Amino acid sequence: MTQVVSTSITRRSVVAGLTLTAASVVVLAGTDNAQANQTIPEKSLYERLGGVFAIAAVVDHFSDAVVKNPIVGQESKNPQLREWHTKNLGRLPGLKFMRTLWVCDVSGGPFQFTATKPGTTPLGLEEAHRDLRISPEEFDEVAAELGRTLDFFKVPKLEKDEVLAAFAAHKDEVTAR
């Protein structure tokens, strides 16, 4: 026995389709403008920076540049910074890892930074930096080095400004004596 399947369009199916379409338009027209104008949520800074691998590349370059920087690196007039950048370089890979976690955390990524020497806040940096006796001017030079690194990687201005603002927000912690 052969079955015949009808593919014809009936008046009833057209009316039903138009009714559904009209109902959808009425529902959409009834929403307020704020809801109708919603866009896809903005990506986090973490996503706009390219995620953990891009952040790790920037941190790697930045960390090496700080070591070579004449003001805050191996030739620094600050004896604590000079010593760290000459006698403690075996710790640099771990520091790069921790810096990467920190940037991922503050930029809205899925990784959580936990300080090895906890400060007063979860992202507090004062205890980790206290022994280095970093001056406000030295902090500013490290920030400038970070800016140069972001330029090296051609990070767009908006994201660069956000990264530098997140860094600057911890200046009082890092320069606490």
Side-chain angles (χ1 to χ4, degrees):
M1 175 177 224
T2 308
Q3 284 188 325
V4 178
V5 177
S6 173
T7 58
S8 65
I9 299 176
T10 65
R11 215 170 115 188
R12 179 178 281 175
S13 65
V14 169
V15 170
L18 289 174
T19 303
L20 286 173
T21 303
S24 298
V25 170
V26 169
V27 168
L28 287 175
T31 60
D32 62 42
N33 285 340
Q35 187 177 1
N37 291 330
Q38 282 184 347
T39 58
I40 298 172
E42 185 179 320
K43 288 182 177 181
S44 69
L45 178 57
Y46 172 83
E47 293 169 309
R48 289 180 285 131
L49 289 172
V52 66
F53 296 105
I55 291 170
V58 169
V59 167
D60 182 60
H61 184 276
F62 162 73
S63 298
D64 291 342
V66 169
V67 169
K68 299 297 182 192
N69 183 292
I71 296 170
V72 294
Q74 292 174 325
E75 297 175 12
S76 175
K77 292 180 182 176
N78 176 330
Q80 289 78 15
L81 287 175
R82 187 174 57 248
E83 181 178 336
W84 200 101
H85 289 111
T86 54
K87 296 182 181 177
N88 292 310
L89 289 181
R91 295 184 64 200
L92 190 58
L95 179 59
K96 289 177 179 182
F97 174 75
M98 296 301 286
R99 285 176 174 164
T100 299
L101 284 178
W102 188 86
V103 173
C104 287
D105 197 345
V106 300
S107 65
F111 302 99
Q112 182 178 5
F113 170 81
T114 303
T116 54
K117 294 181 179 180
T120 57
T121 68
L123 296 176
L125 303 173
E126 64 272 18
E127 294 306 320
H129 294 86
R130 187 176 313 281
D131 293 342
L132 297 174
R133 299 189 182 132
I134 298 170
S135 71
E137 296 77 24
E138 290 164 336
F139 180 93
D140 293 344
E141 180 58 27
V142 173
E145 195 66 67
L146 178 56
R148 289 188 287 273
T149 297
L150 295 169
D151 289 342
F152 175 84
F153 282 96
K154 297 178 177 33
V155 173
K157 181 174 177 12
L158 175 67
E159 287 74 16
K160 176 183 174 182
D161 290 348
E162 287 182 57
V163 170
L164 292 173
F167 186 81
H170 295 274
K171 183 174 183 173
D172 290 341
E173 297 166 23
V174 173
T175 59
R177 292 181 184 227

